């Protein structure tokens, strides 16, 4: 299954509703450092909600594989997720979709367990399931199973990352499986829009390439033999030091640790650097564009994308969340409330995907339009620009941040326990970007108000850089989307359009959401209950 695994893809989908062996440890300076790292990681306390009675731990195996452990004696099923830090962004140009194809081929048996699809049959026979997905820069493999079978399942699962057979007899079967996924997606508007976001990006960025794969892209070519390329890709990137693992089960933490050591220590560590995408997705050539898409089904929407740089290192400060909170407020006088009252939009939402293209991404403001809204899209665009201007002028109020900070603290205190498999996948993917101690509370941390970080993001919300998407059945389009069934047109936004939007801004008088008069982030004393 090929996925981008991003807020952007999920948002589009909702609106459209996208032979090496392990080395023995020797006493060297590097191995001593590894042992020290193991000891330090095991001493880390993973911060959890007071409402969470699960036990958490972490360790670094001698081969460099970082593992998070989750123990919950009340669980009937155990779950595991392993991700490697490589995905569709790293496909070789001669075999588009190779990372996805490899994901399919990996589960076709190992030297120890040669039966094709044997692991899928094993999990299904024991009350579980297995799946995988290929994201932009990561590939995730997961399963859940009856807790009593966890040890045996991990033995089978881990072997795919040690000695897979990649049986060439099943190559055509899996090529067809990949092709079938693409065939289903190419006629769906969410996937067409998601692909179009990439195809209209910089041609030097991996997003501009077809990443799912089909029978035409995944085949032997002059100078490029498919299965040779796949093995080369596996050998180059499937290394323990750029993998992350999570085990969730009813077993105790010491038992889970023993399982991790038993089954995953022998995954080869090839000491490869974590591959990163360096090429920007939206350069000057891609900014200030008008993109028109004629949907396959009845869909009426308008997107305004503001290009932004990745600021994931500022996750403790939450500048994006601060701006998002103001943009999406439904209080009287705000952007969404006024456009709904005027009958122009059914819903208006916004989200950041600041790593949509790797080093950069977008803030997208998206409106689901009424029929009246389709006729007044200039007014809606002007309104969005006017409201962003208002946030820049008057939105830097620390009290908004304190309110968010207090609400998220309360949310964390009451956070429910997630589904085991869902938690395993989430923790595994988060390990690539977050300190282990903050894997559970990172989204609730609002460390302190930092006006500079917020201003830095707001300064990037430039209407002359924005990309405006017109999505409705009346759009005039002339260009097929490569590999997909939809059509689009793209052109520069004209000076007359900017002038018109600037004039229409004057028709709107917005206000930012009011502060809560009853709000306090100070602790209230607990009084005795008496009659």
């Amino acid at each position: 299954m090929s996925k981008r695994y991003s807020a952007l893809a999920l948002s589009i989908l909702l609106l459209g509703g996208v032979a090496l062996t392990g080395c023995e440890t020797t006493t060297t300076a590097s191995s001593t450092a590894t042992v020290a790292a193991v000891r330090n990681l095991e001493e880390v306390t993973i911060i959890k909600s007071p409402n969470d009675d699960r036990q958490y731990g972490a360790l670094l195996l001698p081969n460099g594989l970082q593992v998070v452990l989750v123990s919950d004696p009340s669980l009937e099923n155990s779950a595991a997720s392993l991700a490697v830090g490589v995905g569709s962004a790293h496909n070789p140009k001669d075999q588009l979709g190779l990372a996805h194809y490899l994901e399919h081929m990996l589960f076709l048996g190992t030297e120890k367990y040669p039966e094709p699809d044997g692991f899928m049959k094993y999990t299904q026979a024991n009350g579980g399931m297995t799946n995988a997905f290929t994201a932009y820069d990561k590939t995730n493999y997961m399963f859940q199973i009856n807790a009593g079978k966890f040890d045996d399942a991990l033995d089978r699962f881990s072997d795919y990352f040690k000695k897979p057979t990649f049986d060439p007899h099943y190559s055509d079967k899996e090529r067809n499986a990949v092709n079938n996924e693409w065939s289903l997606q190419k006629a769906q508007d969410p996937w067409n829009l998601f692909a179009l976001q990439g195809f209209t990006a910089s041609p030097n960025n991996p997003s501009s390439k077809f990443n799912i794969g089909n029978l035409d892209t995944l085949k032997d070519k002059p100078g490029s033999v498919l299965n040779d390329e796949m093995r080369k890709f596996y050998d180059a990137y499937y290394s323990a030091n750029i993998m992350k693992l999570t085990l969730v089960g009813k077993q105790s933490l010491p038992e889970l640790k023993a399982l991790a050591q038993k089954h995953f220590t022998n995954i080869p560590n090839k000491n490869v650097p974590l591959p990163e995408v360096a090429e920007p997705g939206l350069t000057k050539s891609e900014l200030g564009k008008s993109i028109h898409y004629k949907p396959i089904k009845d869909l009426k929407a308008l997107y305004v994308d503001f290009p932004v740089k990745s600021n994931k290192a500022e996750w403790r400060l939450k500048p994006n969340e601060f701006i998002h909170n103001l943009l999406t407020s439904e209080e009287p006088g705000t952007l969404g409330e006024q456009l709904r009252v005027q009958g122009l939009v059914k819903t208006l939402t916004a989200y950041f995907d600041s790593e949509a293209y790797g080093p950069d991404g977008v803030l997208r403001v998206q409106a689901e339009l009424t029929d009246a809204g389709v006729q007044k899209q200039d007014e809606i665009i002007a309104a969005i620009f006017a409201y962003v201007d208002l946030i820049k002028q008057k939105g830097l109020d620390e009290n908004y941040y304190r309110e968010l900070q207090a609400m998220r603290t309360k949310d964390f205190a009451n956070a429910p326990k997630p589904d085991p498999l869902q938690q395993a996948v989430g923790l595994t993917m988060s390990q690539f970007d977050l300190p282990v101690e903050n894997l559970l509370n990172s989204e609730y941390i609002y460390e302190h108000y930092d006006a500079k970080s917020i201003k830095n993001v707001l300064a990037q919300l430039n209407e002359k850089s924005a990309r405006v998407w017109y999505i409705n059945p009346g759009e005039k389009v002339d260009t097929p989307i490569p590999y997909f069934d939809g059509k689009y047109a793209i052109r520069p936004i004209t000076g007359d359009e900017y002038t018109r939007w600037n004039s229409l801004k004057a028709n709107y008088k917005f206000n930012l959401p009011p502060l809560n008069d009853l709000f306090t982030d100070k602790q209230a004393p607990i009084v005795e209950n008496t009659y």
Side-chain angles (χ1 to χ4, degrees), residues 354-371:
S354 59
E355 293 181 271
Y357 303 102
D360 59 350
V362 295
L363 160 63
R364 171 168 289 178
V365 183
Q366 60 181 31
E368 184 182 2
L369 304 179
T370 62
D371 289 337

Side-chain angles (χ1 to χ4, degrees), residues 65-377:
L65 175 55
Q66 181 173 292
V67 188
V68 169
L69 311 170
V70 185
S71 172
D72 184 347
S74 70
L75 294 176
E76 294 183 0
N77 286 329
S78 294
S81 167
L82 184 147
V84 58
V86 64
S88 61
H90 309 104
N91 287 328
K93 64 181 184 343
D94 293 330
Q95 297 289 350
L96 299 179
L98 186 73
H100 184 201
Y101 172 68
L102 168 54
E103 171 217 310
H104 278 251
M105 289 291 291
L106 192 74
F107 280 124
L108 291 177
T110 68
E111 289 186 12
K112 187 175 181 180
Y113 301 101
E115 182 188 4
D117 295 326
F119 187 62
M120 179 179 293
K121 296 173 185 175
Y122 182 81
T123 55
Q124 290 175 345
N126 289 282
M129 54 79 70
T130 183
N131 208 337
F133 62 83
T134 303
Y136 185 66
D137 57 358
K138 299 173 186 69
T139 306
N140 191 298
Y141 302 87
M142 71 199 84
F143 77 91
Q144 69 177 17
I145 199 166
N146 181 284
K149 299 291 185 179
F150 203 31
D151 187 359
D152 192 30
L154 288 173
D155 190 49
R156 295 167 181 264
F157 180 70
S158 63
D159 211 43
Y160 290 105
F161 307 99
K162 301 170 190 172
K163 292 187 177 182
T165 57
F166 292 129
D167 191 335
H169 292 98
Y170 297 96
S171 176
D172 284 345
K173 172 180 176 290
E174 296 309 321
R175 287 177 63 239
N176 276 287
V178 169
N179 191 79
N180 288 341
E181 283 189 36
W182 162 74
S183 296
L184 291 172
Q185 295 164 1
K186 71 187 185 76
Q188 297 178 25
D189 287 316
W191 285 105
N192 275 262
L193 286 164
F194 182 58
L196 189 55
Q197 175 189 290
F199 290 132
T200 57
S202 168
N204 296 320
N205 185 274
S207 297
S208 66
K209 308 296 187 293
F210 178 52
N211 61 28
I212 300 171
N214 63 17
L215 291 174
D216 290 328
T217 67
L218 295 168
K219 64 182 181 181
D220 293 346
K221 307 177 184 74
S224 178
V225 178
L226 174 61
N227 286 326
D228 289 350
E229 295 281 0
M230 180 194 64
R231 286 181 175 275
K232 188 188 301 182
F233 192 93
Y234 178 87
D235 290 340
Y237 294 119
Y238 274 58
S239 174
N241 71 299
I242 61 167
M243 291 178 177
K244 308 294 181 185
L245 172 68
T246 303
L247 304 182
V248 181
K250 69 182 300 176
Q251 296 81 359
S252 67
L253 287 180
E255 289 171 328
L256 290 171
K257 175 184 174 182
L259 289 173
Q261 293 170 327
K262 174 182 177 182
H263 297 296
F264 295 91
T265 298
N266 288 332
I267 294 177
N269 179 4
K270 304 162 190 176
N271 289 309
V272 301
L274 183 69
E276 295 184 353
V277 177
E279 300 84 357
L282 297 176
T283 68
K284 186 176 181 180
S285 298
E286 290 77 46
L287 304 183
K289 298 295 184 183
S290 171
I291 303 168
H292 304 258
Y293 173 73
K294 185 172 184 176
I296 297 167
K297 294 186 177 179
D298 188 24
L299 177 63
K300 303 181 187 74
L302 177 73
Y303 303 161
V304 177
D305 285 359
F306 295 95
V308 295
K309 296 298 181 183
S310 171
N311 59 350
K312 66 180 180 182
E314 297 183 333
W315 63 269
R316 294 179 179 274
L317 302 177
K318 302 291 190 294
N320 297 354
E321 288 80 355
F322 179 90
I323 296 167
H324 172 269
N325 183 60
L326 296 178
L327 268 174
T328 58
S329 173
E330 290 287 330
E331 294 289 342
T334 58
L335 173 66
E337 188 267 347
Q338 284 208 29
L339 291 179
R340 280 193 298 101
V341 168
Q342 293 177 32
L344 301 181
V345 307
K346 297 178 181 178
T347 61
L348 187 135
T349 58
Y351 61 86
F352 281 86
D353 187 1
S354 59
E355 293 181 271
Y357 303 102
D360 59 350
V362 295
L363 160 63
R364 171 168 289 178
V365 183
Q366 60 181 31
E368 184 182 2
L369 304 179
T370 62
D371 289 337
V374 173
Q375 304 304 315
K376 294 187 175 182
Q377 295 185 79

Side-chain angles (χ1 to χ4, degrees), residues 486-498:
K487 289 187 177 182
Y488 74 105
I490 185 168
R491 59 173 177 79
I493 297 173
T494 66
D496 287 344
E497 287 175 294
Y498 286 121

Side-chain angles (χ1 to χ4, degrees), residues 14-43:
L14 288 171
L15 185 57
V18 202
L20 295 176
T21 58
C23 300
E24 294 183 4
T25 303
T26 57
T27 306
T28 64
S30 60
S31 65
T32 302
T34 300
V35 170
V38 172
R39 184 164 52 251
N40 290 339
L41 195 56
E42 291 190 51
E43 291 171 357

